[in-house]
Amino acid sequence: MAVYTEIADDELACFIASYDIGAVLSLKGIAEGVENSNYLLVTETGPHILTLYEKRVDPNDLPFFIGLMEHLAKRGIICPQPVRNREGHALGMLAGRPAAIVTFLPGMWVRRPRADHCLAIGGALANLHLAGEGFELTRHNALTVDGWRPLFDRAAARADEVMPGLRDDIAGELDLLEKTWPTDLPRGVIHADLFPDNVFFLHEELSGLIDFYFACNDFLAYDVAVCLNAWCFEADGSLNVTKARALLAGYQKVRPFTPEELQALPLLARGSALRFLLTRLYDWLNVPPGALVAPKDPLEYLRKLRFHRTVQNASAYGLIL
């Protein structure tokens, strides 16, 4: 989450007037994250989240995101629900941006995940994958292997400003992954961005999943690889095998991996690390002037990528093969 677009008071009042949620009491920007403009909106009926869609979000994808949240909620996944206006629309325009209001979920995200948190997120991810079955809309993952080179091309010229030699390091990794990326693994709806700040806990219990604006159709095991990278590494770039084992055990208890998924997991983890290295690199080099946003260190994911290069099979993540 972030704030790129400021909202004038009169524009906000006009927008909110079409909803049955009462008058605006307060509006506060949320600085975490890097994608859309997000605000904590408090009205006479309580707190909500107001999102203005920016940057990499294609407005044509918004019905997918809105419909997916409603589909998942009907199948027991606790996630924000779109608030529809009096005409039944979940999407509108505000400050020149597509905008939506979603329900507020109680809870906090954990800054220092423990193994029990990883166990819970593994199970929640598997439940999300199962709940996504039957969702009729589809969305291509624009940030999978066929989207990495165009993104790299936009940042390559300045990559060595972040670290000498980074451009060649990424180029070599990209060449390898384009040649070896899997083509035939179980597919379905994935979250694709289930970082700790997109998972809420309340009284030590997982209380909800948020921020579905990278959700798409892709390999289910790729989503697991994203979570391994996001939840199971320490600050020095080393894998915490206890956390990784817990996350994978939580997932397998709900949805067992196929042999092909286990074989592909190290490569998927490399690809996930490269994907976030590339998006963070681009964002690090292209922060809009005046934006209320905290860009994230791309080199964190270079360290994770280097670890995955040493992995021979999924046992390195704590699995017993």
Side-chain angles (χ1 to χ4, degrees):
M1 296 182 176
V3 174
Y4 296 95
T5 301
E6 298 292 336
I7 304 173
D9 291 345
D10 57 342
E11 288 182 299
L12 179 63
C14 182
F15 183 77
I16 297 301
S18 65
Y19 291 82
D20 287 319
I21 59 174
V24 175
L25 301 181
S26 66
L27 184 73
K28 182 180 180 181
I30 301 172
E32 293 169 337
V34 293
E35 290 304 323
N36 302 309
S37 292
N38 287 273
Y39 292 87
L40 175 60
L41 168 69
V42 180
T43 73
E44 292 172 322
T45 60
H48 306 79
I49 299 296
L50 169 64
T51 297
L52 277 60
Y53 299 99
E54 316 256 8
K55 297 185 71 179
R56 284 186 283 264
V57 175
D58 183 342
N60 294 323
D61 290 333
L62 295 178
F64 176 91
F65 303 138
I66 297 297
L68 178 61
M69 287 187 282
E70 294 176 330
H71 174 91
L72 293 175
K74 290 176 182 177
R75 286 155 178 79
I77 304 299
I78 303 174
C79 60
Q81 287 302 283
V83 177
R84 295 184 177 271
N85 64 20
R86 295 191 188 95
E87 296 181 352
H89 301 308
L91 292 168
M93 293 294 295
L94 177 60
R97 302 286 190 274
I101 298 172
V102 300
T103 55
F104 177 86
L105 294 184
M108 297 284 291
W109 68 275
V110 293
R111 267 64 175 178
R112 295 180 176 86
R114 303 187 305 263
D116 58 318
H117 296 126
C118 294
L119 179 69
I121 194 59
L125 183 65
N127 280 318
L128 185 156
H129 290 166
L130 295 179
E133 293 177 0
F135 183 53
E136 294 182 354
L137 298 180
T138 61
R139 177 177 180 265
H140 173 68
N141 185 0
L143 292 172
T144 189
V145 63
D146 59 3
W148 296 338
R149 188 167 295 277
L151 186 58
F152 175 55
D153 289 344
R154 295 165 66 188
R158 297 179 58 200
D160 286 358
E161 295 177 19
V162 178
M163 190 188 78
L166 182 59
R167 175 175 180 168
D168 289 344
D169 196 341
I170 293 175
E173 185 69 19
L174 189 54
D175 288 343
L176 182 146
L177 290 175
E178 287 176 336
K179 294 174 183 176
T180 59
W181 197 246
T183 59
D184 190 20
L185 295 175
R187 301 177 65 91
V189 172
I190 69 169
H191 185 283
D193 193 39
L194 203 56
F195 278 60
D197 58 352
N198 288 331
V199 181
F200 287 171
F201 287 83
L202 187 64
H203 306 305
E204 298 300 318
E205 297 292 328
L206 195 152
S207 61
L209 311 178
I210 68 168
D211 203 351
F212 285 80
Y213 302 116
F214 284 105
C216 56
N217 298 87
D218 206 335
F219 300 141
L220 301 179
Y222 176 74
D223 221 9
V224 177
V226 170
C227 287
L228 278 173
N229 279 318
W231 288 81
C232 302
F233 279 81
E234 302 302 326
D236 63 359
S238 64
L239 177 75
N240 185 314
V241 177
T242 302
K243 292 180 182 179
R245 182 185 298 115
L247 190 149
L248 296 173
Y251 188 91
Q252 287 203 108
K253 186 175 180 180
V254 177
R255 180 190 170 269
F257 294 112
T258 68
E260 293 77 14
E261 287 177 314
L262 291 177
Q263 182 179 1
L265 189 58
L267 192 67
L268 296 173
R270 287 178 71 161
S272 164
L274 181 65
R275 172 263 190 262
F276 287 100
L277 169 57
L278 286 171
T279 51
R280 286 186 176 196
L281 176 64
Y282 178 84
D283 290 337
W284 188 270
L285 296 171
N286 294 279
V287 178
L292 177 58
V293 57
K296 297 179 179 179
D297 180 11
L299 298 184
E300 174 189 347
Y301 269 81
L302 178 63
R303 293 189 289 271
K304 295 175 182 181
L305 175 58
R306 285 175 171 171
F307 169 82
H308 296 303
R309 287 171 176 165
T310 71
V311 171
Q312 300 299 314
N313 57 59
S315 65
Y317 306 117
L319 284 172
I320 299 175
L321 302 180

